[in-house]
Amino acid sequence: MDLAYTEEEEEFRARLREWLASVLPGLPAKPSPDDWPARRAYDTHWQRTLYDAGYAGLHWPPDAGGRGATPTQHLIFLEETERAGAPYVGANFVGLLHAGPTIAAEGTAAQRARWLPPVLRGDEIWCQGFSEPDAGSDLAALRTRAVRDGDDYVVSGSKIWTSHAEVADWCELLVRTDPAAPKHRGISWLAMPMDAPGVTVRPLRTLAGSTEFAEMFLDEVRVPLSHRVGAENDGWRVTMVTLSFERGTAFVGEVVACRRTLDELAAAARANGRWDDPVLRRRLGGLNAEFRALWRLTQWNVSEAQRSGGVPGTGGSVFKLRYSRARQELYGAAAEVLGADGLDLDREWVLDRLSSLSYTIAAGTSEIQRNIVAERILGLPKGR
Amino acid sequence: MDFQLSEDQRALRSGVRELLAGRFGRDRMRAVLDRGEGAGRELWGELGAAGFFALRLPEDEGGVGLGLPEAVLLFEEAGRVLLPGPLVGTHLAAGAVKGAAEGRAAVAVAYDDGFREGVGRDGGGGRVADLADADALLVLGRGEDVRVLTGEPLRALVRAARPVRSLDPLTPLHRVASPAGRGDPLPADAVRLRGEAAVLTAAEQLGSAARTLEMAVQHAREREQFGAPIGSFQAVKHLCAQMLTRVETARVAVYAAAVTADAVEIAGAKLLADEAAVGNARDCLQVHGGMGFTWEADVHLHLKRAWVRAARSLTAAEAEEILAGDLGRAEPPGRAPGARV
Ligand SMILES: Cc1cc2nc3c(=O)[nH]c(=O)nc-3n(C[C@H](O)[C@H](O)[C@H](O)COP(=O)(O)OP(=O)(O)OC[C@H]3O[C@@H](n4cnc5c(N)ncnc54)[C@H](O)[C@@H]3O)c2cc1C
């Protein structure tokens, strides 16, 4: 058990810090959360900045345009960028964290050459069209159909809760290519251009008031057969690859941010007198233990991945379960610190409190994560 | 950074697990329980011979020369099998109290964090575990003072002590008057010793939490109701999954605390390990149903021991105050203009 970083790792960190200090002051002002075109521009600009400096696709394999960095270097990158207040991955999320890695792992050479460089350069934004109104947790129940017609699939159906759909260029889309097969067997994974005729995006308003995600209606959209990643009807397996990336290191930066928020909350409580309440004080102390442990859990999982050659382990589900809950408790405590100001949407942390409600739902609900932990890690028998 | 067990640490862990399976298997644990006695001299000597107490003494002092992370692995295994006796005290006193390193002496611990006056039937004093058979008492005070009571001062303290009918049948308890100022001062770093006691206790909690998870999973696979193993029912599955997240969270906290020996990190480790041990024993009992409520099942022993350990060497309230004290003091680093979107 060695928590010290090696000399090379520390050098990497030092160079990165220096670079961040040199570029962050010149960054344009952060756009309003409701101005989607501006948000896209902001996020892709940051991605381009990373690309030009050689920091794009750190954790991607070199033959996919990545840097082949170790999981630990990637961890340092996420830690330092967050610590320095650098922009979050934002609209680049799906491309960098799951569509890209999936194409890198499962795509043909031509597919990799077509889709990966623009993701790394920040030229193209992806979204994830998996969920449907009747297929959320039961993802394999999806009904969006794709029927072969010459060199194309003709796709019809609808998707929902598609994050960043409004500004995306591409969608990693799950479709049913064999309606007669058992439900897990008839699915395929397609890359769908969002500007194709027949694609309609209707923004959905979240409970936080923003338009983070959208409904998507697909009316006889033509997608070339060459846009299918993996074999026809083998999309479920490809999806599992995607989901393992989704739960990998996606939350590292957020844990760093949560620890800072906790510190700021304590400082605010010390300033406004709430600190004298031992119940609240102890609650913040307990959260300190929680987020410190979540950081250690991240290091543990990353070290394990490094030993096993970079494959994300099952630790991701354990982490997501604990983190999604802790994040909600953190902002619950924030409301206590704020007191009556906790009802003021213009106060810091209030919007975050609303957003935190999604964490036990998105990317697989906590109940589904518990099923995964019980069946795949603990080996309990499958239920119905 | 490589936050995983090294090969040597893995080997040590499996070696200790094997040793304890041979020397303190369930039969022997049950025999100790039935006799209502402590661990017994024989077992103590065996643990001493295996290097349990001298693990961290330098090799030229007859020790094994390993560190706190290795000690934590040992104590985790001890927690798994409900090893009784003053393990923490004897381990901490190795090298300072004659015979402790070899397991010829048993050293109890008094966590002197403000004993109340008197030892009457209705309260007062402080609780000390495994006192009756102890050859020495290590007194860890709040301040800088560390003391050791042996010989007549110890006997006097024991004579005046009042036995408590202990909640945990494997941990005999006494109520004693404050030992402050008695015995011989030990030239030791009091803060360090208290921290180590907390980490080692947390490691025992971690082992217990991991063990009750295994017991629950095994039972959930075997026990059938409604024509199916109860582990196929989601309510039971989710209990088990929650148990695993407690174990894994406590594990990284305890291991990291052993590596850094940082006071705040130690407080977090104790807090999370207490939560894991108590929470998992509770859930394990639930998974066992009526069988879990019997004396025959080991679940209650884990729960009771977990409660005893949670109440000593950094309680939740103390740990949370330490963790809170760490927060919000420094001005947080300023954020760059391009903050998170
Ligand atoms: C902020 C946000 C962003 C999202 N972004 C995207 C995106 O970009 N692309 C995309 O495809 N999807 C996205 N989603 C959708 C998300 O993946 C689903 O909402 C999620 O998987 C849950 O599905 P559901 O909403 O249909 O809930 P349901 O599956 O209907 O679940 C409702 C409740 O029932 C419980 N439940 C369901 N099945 C079981 C079971 N077997 N056992 C126990 N309990 C069960 C659930 O845990 C939950 O509590 C997003 C969601 C949110 C909130």
Side-chain angles (χ1 to χ4, degrees), chain A residues 83-113:
Chain A
R83 205 168 258 168
Y88 188 55
V89 55
N92 293 306
F93 184 85
V94 173
L96 282 171
L97 295 176
H98 28 120
T102 303
I103 293 166
E106 298 288 332
T108 62
Q111 290 174 334
R112 285 145 73 132

Side-chain angles (χ1 to χ4, degrees), chain A residues 263 281-282 296 371 375, chain B residues 237-238 265 320-321 328:
Chain A
D263 239 323
R281 202 169 60 227
R282 285 185 55 183
R296 295 307 189 194
N371 289 348
E375 289 171 10
Chain B
K237 257 182 210 170
H238 285 197
E265 193 126 20
E320 283 167 348
E321 288 289 359

Side-chain angles (χ1 to χ4, degrees), chain A residues 162 164-167 194 199-203 213-217:
Chain A
T162 316
H164 307 133
E166 274 187 88
V167 293
M194 290 295 282
V199 178
T200 309
V201 172
R202 199 165 77 200
F213 51 32
E215 280 178 293
M216 218 160 56
F217 300 95

